Amino acid sequence: HEPSRPRKPWRVSWVERRRRRTRRFATKREAERFVGQLAEGQRRGEAGRLTLEAWVVEWIRAHGAEWVKRTRRDRADYADRLILPYLGAMRLREIGRLDVRQWRSDLVRTGVTPHVANRAVSVLSAALGAAVDDALIAANPCTGLRRLPEGAKRRTPATL
């Protein structure tokens, strides 16, 4: 809030495409609405039409060379089996935290174990984190999402 500017005293600053951006608003409500849109990824940019499926393919192609072979294989497997059939058609900027929670609960409802669901969420989070780094979305909707409780495995001691 900058009271020295009577016409538009509210300012919002954010980083987009590695550049600092600023926009001024007349009321606090307008500024807060804009901040909410930034956090949800609703502000459209050059990647407004990019789907999650297209991004994950590009992400694995671009960053996969840095990963160990098993990591590359596992991430591609989780993406093909659990992420893209459910969320692949959604636009990258339209994916919100509620969508991720619903997707994860759908996975568990269809018989996926909590451990596998947590791993799938971590793969999705890594892909969306790379999208944040590349300034395609404003925030990662998986950030702050708590893991599902996996429960302790029941182990029986080996007998002699």
Side-chain angles (χ1 to χ4, degrees):
H1 184 247
E2 296 175 349
S4 62
R5 296 202 152 209
R7 293 189 68 208
K8 292 191 174 182
W10 295 93
R11 181 179 67 178
V12 175
S13 297
W14 73 98
V15 176
E16 183 178 351
R17 285 183 247 164
R18 297 188 179 114
R19 297 179 85 188
R20 186 170 184 82
R21 308 278 186 196
T22 301
R23 188 165 170 191
R24 294 189 174 279
F25 298 91
T27 65
K28 182 178 180 181
R29 178 177 281 175
E30 290 174 359
E32 288 175 342
R33 185 179 313 126
F34 184 78
V35 168
Q37 289 173 345
L38 281 175
E40 288 292 322
Q42 293 177 0
R43 301 306 304 170
R44 301 280 185 235
E46 62 187 36
R49 298 187 186 274
L50 185 65
T51 63
L52 179 65
E53 183 172 10
W55 169 247
V56 168
V57 169
E58 178 61 30
W59 172 64
I60 291 174
R61 184 179 303 130
H63 297 280
E66 305 166 5
W67 305 331
V68 178
K69 184 178 179 181
R70 180 174 176 165
T71 302
R72 189 171 43 252
R73 184 194 68 210
D74 288 347
R75 286 184 173 178
D77 180 54
Y78 278 104
D80 290 340
R81 285 187 313 114
L82 302 173
I83 299 170
L84 298 181
Y86 296 91
L87 300 173
M90 292 184 74
R91 289 185 178 164
L92 198 58
R93 291 189 181 248
E94 292 177 352
I95 298 173
R97 183 168 290 170
L98 180 63
D99 298 318
V100 174
R101 282 188 187 137
Q102 262 182 329
W103 162 70
R104 184 178 67 177
S105 66
D106 288 345
L107 286 179
V108 173
R109 224 177 301 122
T110 58
V112 173
T113 65
H115 173 74
V116 172
N118 287 335
R119 293 284 304 267
V121 170
S122 69
V123 170
L124 178 63
S125 179
L128 294 176
V132 170
D133 291 343
D134 290 349
L136 298 175
I137 55 176
N140 186 345
C142 297
T143 301
L145 191 65
R146 293 195 174 131
R147 298 176 62 83
L148 294 173
E150 296 177 13
K153 291 183 180 178
R154 187 172 187 136
R155 296 185 179 161
T156 55
T159 58
L160 295 175

